[in-house]
Amino acid sequence: MYLGIDVHKRYAQVAVMDEAGTIVEEVRVENANLDELAQRYAGAQAVLEATSNYYHIHDTLSEHLDVTVAHPKKINQIADTDKKTDRVDAKELARMLRLNSVPESYVPTEQVREARALVRGRQTLVENRTKYANKVHGLLSDHGITEDVKPLNEEGRESLRELSLPVPFDTLLESYLDLIESLTEEIRKLDETIEERAGSLKETQLLMTIPGVSYYTALTIYAELGGIDRFDGDKEVVSYVGLNPVIRESGDSRIEGSISKRGSGRVRWLLVQAANTAVHTSNDEYLSRFYDRLASRKNSQKAIVAAARKMLVSIYHMLDRGEAYDPPGVTA
């Protein structure tokens, strides 16, 4: 039997198909009751899309079923239907599973999920803090205050608390500063947890041997890449992160454009920052020579992006071989 499961926030639409391609059951099930359905069809194959809440459902179903997780973007590109309803989607998933044509999505381990939750949670806190800092700047601008104050540091907040703004803007300013202070403390506590987690994993310990890679960068790279053995080679990792140049070919001409920017923008940004540190601060001879050679022919921005790509290639081989950073031994 083949189960196509279209998962929503509280329920799932399920289509059950037999070996001949006939739908034998269609049912809408509360997510909390999917375990009962899985037990009834124990040993069967099932497929669901990688939605925001699929981890728990995947783990529950996997107790009884052989579960495949479909890549949502790729499956939409090849699905053989123009209609979009829960019943149609569930049947289409079952059909593709029966035909062995489901584009699979990576299912991270519990360890990787926890790392993702930590680094993504930190990013959310930082984004919220930045939002309130921008509100502070907007409030000051509205009242003609052009002083260069920094609400993200303690000295700046103390200076801002001494300002006299009219009612009710004084209250708003105080509220924003209190929120920034609270978020700063939460980020600090989360940083301690992230540092502890990064220090406990072999993969992140290896990554932190790279000049310019901190515990946060290391855990983010580990969390977003997941198991390195799921990649066939360094080119696949570079493409996954979106640091690969877009190639356009026409006739005998071949043009190498800007990077594709697919995948995790968070990892791309961190790799570029780490490459900047390695080249300009940490004196990494391997990357510095590469950067200087490119920067002399291209602009510095293109050179640092290329250095970030070379660092990612090194990261792939380090994790694949279980070795610390050793540039001469890395094929880039």
Side-chain angles (χ1 to χ4, degrees):
M1 291 292 183
Y2 305 93
L3 281 69
I5 306 173
D6 185 36
V7 177
H8 295 268
K9 187 174 182 179
R10 295 185 176 84
Y11 71 90
Q13 180 70 34
V14 182
V16 183
M17 183 177 287
D18 64 16
E19 293 286 345
T22 302
I23 297 294
V24 298
E25 182 179 5
E26 291 183 86
V27 61
R28 177 167 157 161
V29 184
E30 295 293 324
N31 290 341
N33 298 327
L34 278 171
D35 184 60
E36 297 174 12
L37 183 78
Q39 290 183 53
R40 184 147 55 89
Y41 287 101
Q45 296 184 52
V47 59
L48 63 148
E49 287 187 43
T51 56
S52 59
N53 62 331
Y54 86 92
Y55 287 161
H56 175 69
I57 292 172
H58 168 272
D59 295 347
T60 298
L61 295 176
S62 295
E63 293 289 327
H64 310 285
L65 304 171
D66 179 9
V67 182
T68 298
V69 175
H71 194 294
K73 291 184 179 178
K74 293 180 181 177
I75 206 167
N76 287 336
Q77 292 172 356
I78 64 176
D80 186 24
T81 179
D82 294 326
K83 299 178 181 178
K84 289 297 291 179
T85 68
D86 295 348
R87 291 182 63 191
V88 168
D89 286 350
K91 286 190 285 187
E92 183 66 9
L93 285 168
R95 184 190 71 83
M96 295 177 73
L97 181 61
R98 173 176 168 269
L99 296 175
N100 194 31
S101 61
V102 175
E104 293 190 37
S105 181
Y106 167 65
V107 180
T109 64
E110 186 66 30
Q111 189 167 268
V112 172
R113 294 180 202 178
E114 291 173 357
R116 283 186 180 181
L118 285 172
V119 296
R120 291 179 181 182
R122 183 190 188 278
Q123 183 182 26
T124 298
L125 293 179
V126 170
E127 288 172 351
N128 285 336
R129 184 176 64 172
T130 300
K131 179 179 71 175
Y132 287 113
N134 290 337
K135 286 183 178 294
V136 168
H137 287 300
L139 198 60
L140 299 181
S141 178
D142 288 345
H143 289 82
I145 301 173
T146 58
E147 296 176 40
D148 183 21
V149 290
K150 294 179 172 57
L152 294 183
N153 66 49
E154 188 173 351
E155 184 179 347
R157 289 193 295 276
E158 288 178 0
S159 173
L160 284 165
R161 283 195 165 95
E162 294 174 0
L163 291 177
S164 296
L165 293 183
V167 176
F169 304 105
D170 58 343
T171 303
L172 277 174
L173 178 60
E174 189 67 28
S175 295
Y176 294 156
L177 294 175
D178 286 347
L179 285 166
I180 290 170
E181 205 156 84
S182 176
L183 286 167
T184 299
E185 176 59 19
E186 294 305 316
I187 292 167
R188 185 195 64 77
K189 290 191 290 187
L190 197 52
D191 277 342
E192 290 179 355
T193 303
I194 289 172
E195 184 172 9
E196 182 180 343
R197 181 60 60 97
S200 70
L201 300 173
K202 179 183 176 182
E203 293 88 347
T204 44
Q205 289 174 15
L206 291 175
L207 293 176
M208 286 188 287
T209 64
I210 303 173
V213 173
S214 67
Y215 60 86
Y216 173 72
T217 300
L219 194 65
T220 301
I221 292 169
Y222 165 76
E224 298 299 335
L225 292 185
I228 204 67
D229 57 354
R230 71 191 183 97
F231 298 104
D232 289 334
D234 53 47
K235 288 184 175 62
E236 192 170 305
V237 175
V238 169
S239 178
Y240 177 78
V241 173
L243 281 171
N244 57 309
V246 177
I247 307 297
R248 293 181 177 85
E249 293 183 331
S250 178
D252 295 329
S253 66
R254 185 178 187 273
I255 301 174
E256 185 175 298
S258 58
I259 59 174
S260 69
K261 294 186 179 181
R262 288 193 297 266
S264 173
R266 182 185 300 108
V267 172
R268 278 197 307 278
W269 185 84
L270 282 172
L271 284 169
V272 170
Q273 300 310 305
N276 261 310
T277 301
V279 169
H280 299 299
T281 305
S282 301
N283 299 318
D284 181 334
E285 291 185 11
Y286 174 66
L287 281 181
S288 292
R289 286 196 304 267
F290 175 78
Y291 170 82
D292 291 340
R293 189 167 66 249
L294 265 187
S296 66
R297 294 186 287 111
K298 302 182 178 183
N299 63 51
S300 59
Q301 182 59 31
K302 288 184 177 179
I304 205 64
V305 169
R309 181 165 57 242
K310 184 169 276 286
M311 178 181 284
L312 180 57
V313 170
S314 297
I315 285 170
Y316 169 79
H317 290 290
M318 289 167 60
L319 295 177
D320 184 52
R321 300 167 184 168
E323 297 175 351
Y325 187 58
D326 183 17
V330 176
T331 302

